[in-house]
Amino acid sequence: DAAVNIYHVNVLSMSYGGWDDYHDGSGALDQKVDWAFNQGVPFFLSAGNAGTDEPPTFLKGNHHDPY
């Protein structure tokens, strides 16, 4: 609430390492995202970017990037 009501942000962005739950709009986070959007504040979420210690598959082996 503070981001919208006190700091008057224009955009909200959040990043989650994982997204394990099913979201049907009834959960607290789902409701808060809807509330912020209804206040005129776009809300962007990303998930699944927890990553690993392993390099991406395309970087393994003898891959050569010409760029």
Side-chain angles (χ1 to χ4, degrees):
D1 292 359
V4 174
N5 291 326
I6 296 172
Y7 299 108
H8 308 289
V9 299
N10 295 317
V11 174
L12 283 169
S13 176
M14 295 181 75
S15 179
Y16 289 88
W19 198 268
D20 300 327
D21 299 330
Y22 175 77
H23 294 274
D24 62 1
S26 64
L29 177 60
D30 304 335
Q31 301 265 323
K32 189 55 71 175
V33 169
D34 288 342
W35 174 82
F37 183 79
N38 288 329
Q39 303 303 308
V41 179
F43 203 120
F44 297 91
L45 294 159
S46 64
N49 54 354
T52 68
D53 291 336
E54 294 293 319
T57 303
F58 68 88
L59 292 179
K60 293 180 180 177
N62 294 323
H63 176 77
H64 173 71
D65 185 353
Y67 303 103

